[in-house]
Amino acid sequence: QQQNLAMQLLKLVLNCLNFDFVGNSADESADDLCTVQIPTNWRTIFLEPETLDLFFDLYRSLPPVLSQLALSCLVQFASARRSLFSNPERAKYLGNLMKGVKQILENPQSLSDPGNYHEFCRFLARLKTNYQLGELVMVKDYPEVIQLIANFTITSLQHWEFAPNSVHYLLTLWQRMVASVPFVKSAEPHLLDTYAPEITKAYITSRLECVPVVIRDGLEDPLDDTVTIFQQLEQLCTVSRCEYEKTCTLLVQLFDQNAQNYQKLLHSTSRNPLEITVQEGRLAWLVYFVGTFVGGRLTYTSTDEHDAMDGELSCRVFQLIPLMDAQLPQTSNEKVELAILWFLDQFRKTYVGDQLQHTSKVYARMSEVLGITDDNHVLETFMTKIVTNLKYRGRCEPVISRTLQFLNDLSVGYPFVLKKLVKIEAVKFMLQNHTSKHFPFLDISDNYNLSDLRCRTVFYTALTRLLMVDLGEDEDEFENFMLPLTIAFESVTQIFNSSFEQAAAKRMLIGLARDLRGIAFALNTKTSYTMLFDWIYPAYISVLQRAVELWYCEPECTTPILKLMAEFMQNRSQRLNFDVSSPNGILLFREASKMICTYGNQILSLGTLSKDQVYPLKLKGISICYSALKSALCGNYVSFGVFKLYGDNHFDNVLQAFVKMLLSVSHSDLLQYRKLSQSYYPLLECLTQDHMSFITSLEPHVLIYILTSISEGLTAVDTVVSSSCCTSLDYIVTYLFKHLAKGKKPLRCGDISQDGQRLLHFMQQNPEVLQQMMSILMNTIIFEDCRNQWSVSRPLLGLILLNEKYFGELRATLVTSQPDNKREVLDQCFSNLMEGVEQNLLVKNRDR
């Protein structure tokens, strides 16, 4: 009973300390709420040293299930806002915290419990988060405490399998301590130059020692959890830069030793696969370390000596690359390859592209050993590695994916880097030979999963960017580049016109759609986009139309084709602004209309789908169709009035398809599936802005559906959705108000269009629709943490002017719902809101 009482009391204290006193945290469960805004009237409790002593005593005397709660409370005590104390009081409070840390570390038995250990690591991290290094070093027992923390950290790192998630907090502490060193003004020694290299060494050696254990016992490999690894390496790179010479010396020694052992194993007659795997695991870790330390270079703290050391380390990895590639295609270690690609990317970010780096000492050692004298040679090495990976590692999806991401990153670099890239033989080879014969990952045979074809889009985006560097208006060069795709399309056309081998045609089309989407994404100029349009229209686009018609219920086929069409409709960088004599904009829209109508009509024939099938088979495709239609409506390259004028029904058809697809989706699904809501609501915003005649022509039940979707979207968590709803509502309300105002003018009463009269009549029949939305907006503004207040305010004036009587009732209800002491304040706020407001929706009036 006593234990239960203690538990409930500790939970109560913890909940009090966890409370978001100033309401600045969107997510109270997040651990980044590092400052607790303690109320000032609690100050005396925090100033009494007995308060902290009590919780440290509770930690020592209670069993683990309770002692970790005491530590959780101490984490929050360490996070109390700085402004709660004066400088002397803060120093005394910090001294008491450090005294408690010292006592815990001198008797660490309770830390063997994972819960206690984790909370203690959090406690240590909060010390540096909330206090400056200059304050910590002034504490009386600082030298003893920092030594104890260093020893504790080293022991923790050595026991890598125990509570691995807690290491993050220890590395956070050391990272922030080392990062603060340049800013410490205190004369007291911080001792980090002694302990930081030891921490780095412990991390490096412990990770190398874990490799044989993981492989021998079949444990989960830490290297497989790349998110955690990269997070920890990012923290370690700051720590490693303290006394960088010691870190580099250790790493060079370990790298040379492991690389020599690896070479011996490769050349020995009795090749032991297990030992080779262990050695490759160690090399993977070492390459990650080198990449991390090179990537951790800071311009303002780096010296020529440090750059020379980076060169020394980089040499080792550049020498390892040909050693690993020499074993192809027989053997390949995925982890080493991923580590090498990580290193190359870090080296690119640090030493390639920035013109200041040409004189860097990093190339001094590399030119001696490898003949790499500048970033031109490095770029050649990069491209050779990329081509090698794409040629020989086609069956290893993680390596191919990371390689293509690296190629993509290179292709969006500085213009002068791109100029250098396109002169490299490996790049010329890729631009002229992008076929499955040279790059097996482009193969569309049954040996590859359909999901593996996704990487083709990234490949063709990067390749097209490189093509664009010197393309200009050279149509012949573009035709040559497109030749493999031309041949593939001709093959599909023949298959469609003959025996029709469905499986082969389908896989080929999926590959082509992904390739073309990558190409279209990279063509951001009018000239280059026109070349692509002339290539695909009309012959090849009709093949895509046929595919959607045939395989509408197979999303692995329709999704890439619909995404390609959505990409075509994007007027990025005004690339779709064709010449005035060109009908291309209208022709493109007609094709998009056909495809959306075909898909929409066919997909609705599937009937009711189960909960697990409704998104992949139907809603995903609908969301892409909406996205494509939105791009067309907002692209400003089609005059939609032309369609009605010349009796062309493509525009009306696609709008009807929009309505049919919409009515087949429930309101809950509209908001539940993020991609669907993020395509539907911006599309609705475009329709209400420019096509209100269409909105007003809708049947009453459709209008109710759309207005209900707006009403529900106003309170959506996603600000894209709620902002679009507010904007759509504003356009509708403004349209209504203008037509109502026209009707009140004696000479203009006959000027109200039929569209306007229809909508006015509908709203008079259903006044509760707009009233409910006004109520939602008012409650959002007054009672909630509104993150898009400007958007929410836009439709408000129109709603008030259209519903003045209801606004008065709502105002009275909201005021009376408040406590007595707040009613007058809220009533005054309403008075201020309407002060000087006129009966119009001019911008000046809206912004009052």
Side-chain angles (χ1 to χ4, degrees):
Q1 274 191 335
Q2 275 191 328
Q3 279 198 9
N4 190 35
L5 178 62
M7 178 183 281
Q8 299 308 322
L9 285 168
L10 284 167
K11 282 182 178 176
L12 175 62
V13 173
L14 186 58
N15 285 342
C16 290
L17 293 170
N18 272 329
F19 185 74
D20 185 14
F21 290 98
V22 293
N24 64 354
S25 172
D27 178 12
E28 288 185 17
S29 65
D31 199 43
D32 53 5
L33 185 67
C34 293
T35 303
V36 182
Q37 303 292 339
I38 301 295
T40 307
N41 54 1
W42 292 14
R43 187 170 175 273
T44 50
I45 302 169
F46 278 72
L47 288 176
E48 293 168 3
E50 293 79 17
T51 306
L52 283 179
D53 291 345
L54 170 65
F55 283 88
F56 281 116
D57 290 342
L58 285 169
Y59 161 75
R60 281 191 292 272
S61 54
L62 292 171
V65 70
L66 298 176
S67 58
Q68 71 185 62
L69 279 173
L71 273 177
S72 297
C73 293
L74 285 166
V75 170
Q76 298 305 95
F77 275 113
S79 310
R81 63 182 169 94
R82 294 172 58 81
S83 54
L84 192 66
F85 311 102
S86 65
N87 285 345
E89 288 167 349
R90 195 183 307 114
K92 187 178 176 186
Y93 186 73
L94 176 59
N96 288 333
L97 286 169
M98 294 282 274
K99 184 180 78 176
V101 170
K102 185 182 175 189
Q103 289 168 353
I104 290 173
L105 288 173
E106 284 174 342
N107 300 284
Q109 295 81 2
S110 299
L111 294 176
S112 58
D113 174 72
N116 279 343
Y117 172 78
H118 184 74
E119 290 303 318
F120 183 65
C121 291
R122 286 183 65 222
F123 178 49
L124 291 177
R126 288 292 174 89
L127 282 177
K128 179 58 192 79
T129 304
N130 219 25
Y131 296 93
Q132 296 167 4
L133 182 57
E135 293 172 317
L136 290 167
V137 297
M138 298 303 291
V139 174
K140 189 179 108 183
D141 293 332
Y142 174 79
E144 292 92 330
V145 175
I146 198 69
Q147 184 180 8
L148 286 166
I149 294 174
N151 292 338
F152 172 70
T153 307
I154 290 165
T155 306
S156 299
L157 292 172
Q158 286 166 346
H159 294 86
W160 53 270
E161 72 287 358
F162 180 76
N165 292 337
S166 309
V167 169
H168 163 76
Y169 296 104
L170 291 175
L171 291 175
T172 298
L173 168 71
W174 289 99
Q175 177 193 21
R176 289 180 169 161
M177 296 264 275
V178 171
S180 305
V181 168
F183 311 106
V184 175
K185 297 186 176 74
S186 170
E188 297 292 324
H190 52 68
L191 304 175
L192 293 177
D193 44 6
T194 304
Y195 297 117
E198 291 182 21
I199 304 301
T200 308
K201 181 181 179 181
Y203 189 92
I204 292 171
T205 52
S206 65
R207 270 37 189 181
L208 296 182
E209 285 163 7
C210 84
V211 174
V213 181
V214 166
I215 291 168
R216 187 185 65 230
D217 299 345
L219 302 177
E220 194 175 327
D221 192 343
L223 274 176
D224 291 336
D225 184 4
T226 50
V227 175
T228 304
I229 289 295
F230 291 158
Q231 187 184 50
Q232 291 182 0
L233 290 177
E234 189 182 333
Q235 294 170 312
L236 187 71
C237 79
T238 307
V239 183
S240 70
R241 285 273 162 179
C242 185
E243 297 295 306
Y244 194 45
E245 298 82 355
K246 293 179 184 176
T247 302
C248 288
T249 306
L250 171 70
L251 210 49
V252 165
Q253 179 192 336
L254 289 169
F255 207 112
D256 289 346
Q257 179 187 328
N258 282 278
Q260 285 165 12
N261 291 344
Y262 183 57
Q263 279 182 300
K264 284 177 190 172
L265 286 169
L266 289 179
H267 295 131
S268 69
T269 48
S270 58
R271 285 169 65 113
N272 186 329
L274 191 67
E275 283 186 30
I276 288 175
T277 307
V278 168
Q279 213 58 48
E280 285 174 341
R282 285 181 174 147
L283 283 170
W285 273 110
L286 288 165
V287 173
Y288 273 124
F289 291 138
V290 173
T292 301
F293 300 156
V294 169
R297 178 187 188 275
L298 295 171
T299 310
Y300 62 87
T301 57
S302 194
T303 62
D304 284 349
E305 290 75 21
H306 285 185
D307 287 359
M309 289 174 213
D310 283 349
E312 197 73 53
L313 291 171
S314 300
C315 275
R316 267 75 184 165
V317 184
F318 281 117
Q319 286 174 307
L320 180 66
I321 292 172
L323 180 65
M324 300 305 297
D325 290 347
Q327 300 170 61
L328 290 169
Q330 286 78 21
T331 59
S332 171
N333 186 291
E334 180 185 313
K335 284 168 186 166
V336 178
E337 289 306 322
L338 292 174
I340 287 171
L341 287 165
W342 158 261
F343 160 77
L344 293 177
D345 197 42
Q346 296 303 307
F347 191 91
R348 174 190 68 82
K349 290 175 184 173
T350 310
Y351 288 111
V352 176
D354 190 340
Q355 288 173 310
L356 297 173
Q357 302 300 337
H358 288 313
T359 56
S360 173
K361 295 288 182 188
V362 77
Y363 292 110
R365 180 66 178 148
M366 286 166 62
S367 63
E368 287 174 30
V369 180
L370 305 168
I372 296 176
T373 54
D374 56 20
D375 56 0
N376 286 335
H377 287 100
V378 171
L379 288 172
E380 284 179 23
T381 308
F382 286 174
M383 293 313 305
T384 306
K385 180 63 182 164
I386 287 168
V387 170
T388 304
N389 280 3
L390 298 181
K391 264 189 168 187
Y392 298 110
R393 295 187 170 89
R395 303 307 302 273
C396 183
E397 200 277 332
V399 172
I400 289 291
S401 183
R402 188 79 66 80
T403 303
L404 289 173
Q405 192 53 55
F406 180 51
L407 174 64
N408 190 53
D409 292 343
L410 280 170
S411 73
V412 290
Y414 299 100
F416 59 86
V417 171
L418 292 177
K419 289 278 185 190
K420 291 175 182 178
L421 274 174
V422 293
K423 291 175 185 171
I424 296 169
E425 288 303 317
V427 174
K428 292 176 183 175
F429 175 82
M430 289 170 77
L431 288 171
Q432 291 162 8
N433 300 282
H434 46 97
T435 62
S436 58
K437 178 185 172 185
H438 297 283
F439 300 114
F441 77 96
L442 294 173
D443 191 8
I444 50 114
S445 66
D446 293 340
N447 299 333
Y448 292 83
N449 292 325
L450 285 173
S451 60
D452 290 348
L453 299 179
R454 288 176 186 164
C455 59
R456 299 169 70 115
T457 306
V458 181
F459 176 65
Y460 272 98
T461 299
L463 218 52
T464 309
R465 285 199 192 108
L466 294 171
L467 173 75
M468 288 276 289
V469 174
D470 292 328
L471 179 66
E473 297 179 4
D474 191 340
E475 291 184 17
D476 291 338
E477 188 178 345
F478 184 77
E479 290 285 340
N480 287 335
F481 175 73
M482 299 298 286
L483 195 58
L485 285 85
T486 308
I487 293 166
F489 257 121
E490 293 296 339
S491 301
V492 174
T493 309
Q494 284 176 2
I495 294 171
F496 272 8
N497 295 334
S498 58
S499 59
F500 198 52
E501 176 58 42
Q502 284 210 13
K506 198 187 302 176
R507 292 183 78 89
M508 207 177 285
L509 265 174
I510 294 167
L512 279 167
R514 294 193 183 283
D515 299 347
L516 281 170
R517 184 168 153 236
I519 292 168
F521 182 78
L523 297 176
N524 284 333
T525 65
K526 178 178 159 183
T527 308
S528 58
Y529 183 88
T530 306
M531 288 183 199
L532 178 63
F533 183 83
D534 292 341
W535 178 84
I536 199 170
Y537 183 87
Y540 300 147
I541 209 157
S542 61
V543 176
L544 299 173
Q545 298 279 16
R546 179 93 188 276
V548 171
E549 194 178 332
L550 283 167
W551 298 309
Y552 63 90
C553 59
E554 298 183 42
E556 64 272 10
C557 182
T558 54
T559 298
I561 295 173
L562 291 171
K563 280 186 174 179
L564 168 62
M565 185 53 79
E567 179 55 45
F568 271 143
M569 307 309 286
Q570 287 265 11
N571 192 12
R572 200 181 302 110
S573 305
Q574 304 300 303
R575 64 183 185 174
L576 278 163
N577 288 6
F578 297 107
D579 296 333
V580 289
S581 58
S582 169
N584 286 355
I586 289 172
L587 293 173
L588 178 60
F589 179 79
R590 282 160 58 117
E591 293 300 329
S593 169
K594 281 184 210 169
M595 189 174 286
I596 291 169
C597 291
T598 302
Y599 180 78
N601 292 329
Q602 297 275 40
I603 208 72
L604 297 180
S605 67
L606 293 176
T608 308
L609 297 166
S610 63
K611 190 73 177 168
D612 60 327
Q613 286 187 312
V614 71
Y615 182 74
L617 283 183
K618 177 177 158 185
L619 299 183
K620 187 173 184 180
I622 289 175
S623 74
I624 301 166
C625 289
Y626 283 1
S627 183
L629 184 54
K630 184 253 177 190
S631 296
L633 294 179
C634 299
N636 209 24
Y637 55 88
V638 181
S639 177
F640 292 101
V642 169
F643 290 94
K644 190 174 183 181
L645 192 64
Y646 290 100
D648 188 322
N649 59 4
H650 282 91
F651 184 48
D652 286 339
N653 289 349
V654 79
L655 292 179
Q656 291 309 315
F658 155 74
V659 172
K660 284 181 192 173
M661 288 190 278
L662 181 62
L663 293 177
S664 74
V665 180
S666 68
H667 281 119
S668 59
D669 284 349
L670 265 183
L671 287 167
Q672 185 179 347
Y673 296 99
R674 189 163 174 262
K675 285 185 179 177
L676 180 60
S677 59
Q678 289 201 337
S679 58
Y680 163 67
Y681 284 104
L683 169 58
L684 186 59
E685 186 182 331
C686 284
L687 288 169
T688 51
Q689 181 178 10
D690 299 321
H691 304 280
M692 273 304 294
S693 57
F694 162 70
I695 298 289
T696 56
S697 69
L698 294 170
E699 293 292 321
H701 72 281
V702 182
L703 256 179
I704 286 285
Y705 183 97
I706 287 175
L707 290 168
T708 306
S709 73
I710 292 174
S711 181
E712 292 185 359
L714 289 172
T715 54
V717 176
D718 189 339
T719 50
V720 171
V721 171
S722 58
S723 296
S724 282
C725 287
C726 291
T727 310
S728 300
L729 178 58
D730 185 30
Y731 289 134
I732 293 169
V733 168
T734 304
Y735 182 88
L736 268 172
F737 186 84
K738 282 181 179 176
H739 281 78
L740 204 59
K742 272 185 186 178
K744 289 178 181 176
K745 292 177 181 174
L747 297 175
R748 302 288 302 276
C749 57
D751 286 2
I752 303 181
S753 65
Q754 283 189 335
D755 296 336
Q757 285 178 337
R758 200 181 298 115
L759 189 60
L760 283 170
H761 180 69
F762 172 82
M763 288 304 180
Q764 283 161 1
Q765 297 288 314
N766 302 277
E768 73 285 348
V769 176
L770 291 183
Q771 290 171 3
Q772 183 190 7
M773 290 200 234
M774 190 204 296
S775 175
I776 289 169
L777 290 177
M778 276 296 180
N779 278 286
T780 301
I781 291 168
I782 297 171
F783 300 117
E784 292 182 25
D785 180 19
C786 186
R787 285 169 292 163
N788 51 341
Q789 198 153 358
W790 190 86
S791 297
V792 169
S793 71
R794 293 295 88 189
L796 202 55
L797 178 60
L799 286 168
I800 291 170
L801 295 180
L802 286 171
N803 296 276
E804 290 188 79
K805 184 184 174 190
Y806 178 75
F807 175 65
E809 293 169 5
L810 179 64
R811 171 178 174 172
T813 306
L814 289 169
V815 169
T816 53
S817 70
Q818 294 300 298
D820 292 343
N821 60 335
K822 290 185 178 177
R823 286 180 186 176
E824 191 178 336
V825 177
L826 185 58
D827 195 48
Q828 186 59 47
C829 289
F830 273 110
S831 300
N832 295 343
L833 179 69
M834 299 308 293
E835 189 179 336
V837 172
E838 299 165 9
Q839 289 285 321
N840 63 60
L841 290 179
L842 299 176
V843 174
K844 184 181 173 184
N845 198 35
R846 285 174 183 265
D847 292 341
R848 281 188 193 280

